[in-house]
Amino acid sequence: MKSIVILISGRGSNMQAIVNACAAEHWPARVAAVISNRPQAAGLAFAAAHGIATAVVDHEAFATREGFDDALANAIDAHAPDLVVLAGFMRILGPRFVTRYEGRMLNIHPSLVPAFPGLRTHERALEAGCKVHGATVHFVTTSLDHGPIVAQAVVPVLPGDTAETLAARVLEREHVLYPRAVHWFIVGELHTAAGIVTHTRGSPQQLL
Ligand code: GRF
């Protein structure tokens, strides 16, 4: 049985999708803990209601980024995870932290990486006149919102879209994409060579 720790900062809808898929599809894994850097993160209540251990490591309580990162690593390592999942986790993590979990930490970013790292991705896709947009699950490296790409979901940009309508269309796909990618990792079906991630059985790594 593999152990997963999920980090959130807010609503946690991707975390919920992963928790639900893990139970419904009987993954050989359990979500051992959900950890937030914000005490008021709405997702904590969902996790607690599902019998999952929760913890808060409040970044505001630390004078330095390294101090926060170390406390977060301690909270994570208490659950000896095989995989750390960033799901709407809104803190930049330092190089020492990222290196510690290299190859076993995933993130989802709401753009077709390498386009639009950082914030306001939906606004920026509209401003750029993109005709398609989407989300990316990638291994976390020291490059912000970038790293070996595990899977991507593509959505159309439609006439009349606002950042809100586009975000909602992307989020719906995230909830399919992220559980699929996490499951692949858990069952050992991902292979990374020279920064390129492939699926061992050749499953399509894009949702169209
Ligand atoms: C998602 O759009 C995700 O791609 C981004 O932050 C958002 C988190 O939403 N990293 P939620 O907390 O999972 O509902």
Side-chain angles (χ1 to χ4, degrees):
M1 189 66 109
K2 295 265 168 69
S3 167
I4 303 170
V5 168
I6 305 181
L7 306 188
I8 64 169
S9 295
R11 126 192 102 175
S13 68
N14 278 289
M15 174 272 293
Q16 295 183 29
I18 291 165
V19 167
N20 289 339
C22 183
E25 298 168 8
H26 307 289
W27 294 358
R30 60 188 282 268
V31 178
V34 172
I35 301 174
S36 172
N37 65 307
R38 293 210 181 104
Q40 68 279 20
L44 290 170
F46 172 92
H50 284 72
I52 298 168
T54 61
V56 174
V57 181
D58 186 347
H59 62 273
E60 288 187 1
F62 296 87
T64 64
R65 189 178 295 283
E66 291 71 27
F68 168 71
D69 283 2
D70 288 347
L72 183 60
N74 286 338
I76 293 169
D77 290 349
H79 301 279
D82 299 283
L83 177 66
V84 176
V85 172
L86 308 185
F89 185 71
M90 301 299 285
R91 297 298 295 174
I92 293 175
L93 298 161
R96 193 170 64 200
F97 183 96
V98 170
T99 305
R100 182 186 190 100
Y101 300 105
E102 197 171 347
R104 57 186 179 111
M105 181 157 64
L106 295 173
N107 181 43
I108 190 161
H109 184 67
S111 79
L112 294 173
V113 166
F116 311 129
L119 300 174
R120 298 180 59 254
T121 56
H122 311 299
E123 287 89 335
R124 288 154 67 203
L126 288 172
E127 284 160 15
C130 292
K131 307 308 177 219
V132 294
H133 182 47
T136 302
V137 176
H138 62 90
F139 282 104
V140 177
T141 64
T142 46
S143 329
L144 176 67
D145 295 327
H146 199 8
I149 293 170
V150 175
Q152 293 184 305
V154 180
V155 303
V157 178
L158 299 177
D161 260 340
T162 62
E164 289 70 33
T165 59
L166 189 53
R169 191 175 307 123
V170 171
L171 189 66
E172 201 183 307
R173 303 308 276 158
E174 291 184 36
H175 295 162
V176 180
L177 185 75
Y178 213 179
R180 175 188 288 190
V182 169
H183 180 250
W184 282 343
F185 180 93
I186 289 299
V187 296
E189 291 181 344
L190 296 176
H191 180 68
T192 308
I196 305 295
V197 184
T198 50
H199 183 270
T200 49
R201 285 189 292 107
S203 278
Q205 289 169 266
Q206 73 277 31
L207 288 178
L208 298 174

